[in-house]
Amino acid sequence: MKPKFKVPGTYVIIAGLLVLCAVATWIVPGGQYVTAEDGTLNYREVDNVPQTWQVFSAIYHGFVRQAGIIVFILVVGGAFWLLNATGAVEAGIRRFIAKVGTRDKWVLVAVTVLFSLAGAVFGMSEETIPFVGIVVPLVISMGYDAILGMLIVYVAASIGFSSAFLNPFTVGIAQGMAGLPLFSGMGYRLCCWAFLTILTVAFVLAYARKTRRKADRLSSTEVPEKLTRSQTWILLVLLATVVLLVVGVTLWDWYLPEITGLFLAMGIACGVIARFPAGRIVDELMVGARDILSAALVVGFASGIIVLLQDGRIIDSILHSMQEGLDGTGPLASLSAMYGIQAVINFLIPSATAKAAITIPIMAPFADLVGVSRQAMVLAFQFGDGFTNMLTPTSGVLMAALAMARIPYVDWVRKAWKWVLVLLVLGFLLLLPTAIIPIPEF
């Protein structure tokens, strides 16, 4: 009997990609985009730089590039471990479930729509990571699994991010670079967001029905004990932290340093309220950081892939060859190709801002030449940028969210690839009308 094929682990997959990229630097011609005096990007050929032992040094540089997210994962992981050690979250969840009763489906719907809206309006991405740590234990206690927690937080926010109508990091930047009025064409984008969000809600409810573990459900006759005073205060601190996170991100331009400090302060405050000795507070923080260390390392290793492509001077030549492949195509074929190229590039450049800076100045004038509206081109950029973010191992946000949910990357891919494929097809279908009928400016 032949041994059953076993899917390689996350580190093995990343190691294979590192070696593959190093080999590519010996084969793919070098190239570079340079900014002209008028601000346009021009491509020029340069010598490639074959990578050999740099496979190992690229890992170091990958850790340096993603140091902010790695520190964020370790600190937030430690803070949530300390929070859970107080027992307040578990007690609060049990009382919440007893109150919700059979209305838990409405909770799933509300949370999914909320995070999708957050992605669509202010581009929630990195900010989903701590919310995954809050929501996953809740849905597990309700009788579901960690995958569902990722769906209603990370995936929902990604859907909103992809089909955004006000997201400054995709719509705003892309339209600005394409010379379009800021946030124009909102009507069609709003329809796309509503359609995709409704489908996401339906998928969430279907997955919830399929994976529900009835045995883990808190029975209606079981009344949990009342919260102690310290547990109540700890939950209030958690609520205040979430409110501060939302306000800080939307009004005060908070990013990883401020969010990391906020959750570290939350963890310490909860430990003090629980009357933990100073030594135990430190120990719990260290245990939490150690527990999540493996997932944090994945972020650094995966970032080394991009370092190899950039140091080998082939990432721009790959982008240029994709752009050249559009020459001589009609409007519909060109728009479809733009969409596909953006989706592929997303595996190389997960950052929406960086990808817009490289691709929009090239795609915008080309769209004019082939008869594709710039609004449609921006929408292709949005869809291509967002959907594959749910799978790409080079996305620090995805890896961090999976770390918070304690879901191995390989397990996530097994569950999510079909859904991402459906989204890619739906994105293509939503793009088709824009190749024929211009997107209204309103």
Side-chain angles (χ1 to χ4, degrees), residues 18 22 25-26 49-61 304 307-308 311-312:
L18 284 167
T25 62
W26 287 79
V49 182
Q51 304 289 290
T52 52
W53 64 271
Q54 291 91 342
V55 168
F56 302 101
S57 62
I59 295 173
Y60 167 82
H61 293 296
V307 172
L308 276 177
D311 290 352

Side-chain angles (χ1 to χ4, degrees), residues 70-80 259-261 263-265 285 289 292:
I70 293 171
V71 172
F72 176 77
I73 294 172
L74 295 175
V75 172
V76 173
F80 274 103
I259 299 174
T260 301
F263 278 92
L264 178 59
L285 287 171
I292 207 169

Side-chain angles (χ1 to χ4, degrees), residues 324-348:
E324 281 191 322
L326 297 178
D327 289 340
T329 57
L332 183 58
S334 296
L335 184 60
S336 303
M338 289 178 187
Y339 175 46
I341 287 174
Q342 293 289 1
V344 172
I345 291 175
N346 205 38
F347 284 90
L348 305 176

Side-chain angles (χ1 to χ4, degrees), residues 52-374:
T52 52
W53 64 271
Q54 291 91 342
V55 168
F56 302 101
S57 62
I59 295 173
Y60 167 82
H61 293 296
F63 273 87
V64 172
R65 286 168 60 102
Q66 296 289 358
I69 287 184
I70 293 171
V71 172
F72 176 77
I73 294 172
L74 295 175
V75 172
V76 173
F80 274 103
W81 188 278
L82 176 55
L83 172 66
N84 291 331
T86 66
V89 172
E90 181 181 355
I93 287 174
R94 291 181 65 81
R95 289 195 63 84
F96 173 79
I97 294 172
K99 293 286 186 181
V100 169
T102 60
R103 299 186 299 274
D104 55 327
K105 299 294 191 302
W106 290 107
V107 175
L108 299 180
V109 171
V111 173
T112 302
V113 173
L114 177 65
F115 278 98
S116 179
L117 187 63
V121 173
F122 63 86
M124 174 176 274
S125 181
E126 287 88 348
E127 299 81 10
T128 60
I129 299 171
F131 284 106
V132 170
I134 296 171
V135 173
V136 166
L138 172 63
V139 297
I140 289 176
S141 298
M142 293 168 68
Y144 304 106
D145 62 5
I147 295 288
L148 185 67
M150 278 286 291
L151 289 175
I152 66 176
V153 178
Y154 175 79
V155 170
S158 297
I159 292 296
F161 196 96
S162 305
S163 56
F165 46 90
L166 283 175
N167 184 351
F169 304 108
T170 53
V171 181
I173 291 176
Q175 287 187 329
M177 290 183 173
L180 296 169
L182 199 60
F183 303 122
S184 56
M186 187 182 299
Y188 188 72
R189 288 182 174 82
L190 188 58
C191 292
C192 292
W193 171 80
F195 173 70
L196 292 173
T197 300
I198 291 171
L199 286 181
T200 304
V201 168
F203 177 75
V204 164
L205 294 178
Y207 185 85
R209 284 194 298 270
K210 181 180 178 181
T211 59
R212 181 70 168 272
R213 301 186 310 277
K214 294 181 180 179
D216 293 342
R217 177 77 178 173
L218 187 69
S219 67
S220 58
T221 58
E222 183 182 352
V223 180
E225 296 180 0
K226 290 185 177 181
L227 298 175
T228 65
R229 180 175 296 181
S230 62
Q231 289 173 337
T232 301
W233 276 106
I234 288 171
L235 292 177
L236 287 174
V237 168
L238 176 60
L239 177 61
T241 301
V242 173
V243 172
L244 271 176
L245 172 63
V246 174
V247 173
V249 169
T250 54
L251 299 181
W252 303 331
D253 295 326
W254 279 11
Y255 194 50
L256 289 180
E258 294 82 7
I259 299 174
T260 301
L262 174 65
F263 278 92
L264 178 59
M266 176 208 72
I268 295 173
C270 292
V272 171
I273 295 172
R275 297 182 181 178
F276 287 172
R280 183 178 177 185
I281 291 177
V282 174
D283 289 342
E284 297 290 355
L285 287 171
M286 294 301 102
V287 171
R290 186 164 56 247
D291 180 69
I292 207 169
L293 176 62
S294 177
L297 293 177
V298 170
V299 175
F301 282 116
S303 183
I305 296 171
I306 307 301
V307 172
L308 276 177
L309 294 175
Q310 290 180 335
D311 290 352
R313 296 182 182 176
I314 66 171
I315 190 167
D316 285 355
S317 58
I318 293 173
L319 299 179
H320 181 68
S321 64
M322 290 180 176
Q323 183 264 330
E324 281 191 322
L326 297 178
D327 289 340
T329 57
L332 183 58
S334 296
L335 184 60
S336 303
M338 289 178 187
Y339 175 46
I341 287 174
Q342 293 289 1
V344 172
I345 291 175
N346 205 38
F347 284 90
L348 305 176
I349 311 174
S351 169
T353 304
K355 188 156 54 267
I358 293 174
T359 62
I360 297 300
I362 300 169
M363 296 292 188
F366 183 80
D368 296 338
L369 292 175
V370 297
V372 173
S373 72
R374 293 195 174 194

Side-chain angles (χ1 to χ4, degrees), residues 23-39:
V23 171
T25 62
W26 287 79
I27 302 171
V28 179
Q32 187 177 38
Y33 282 108
V34 294
T35 304
E37 292 183 359
D38 59 358

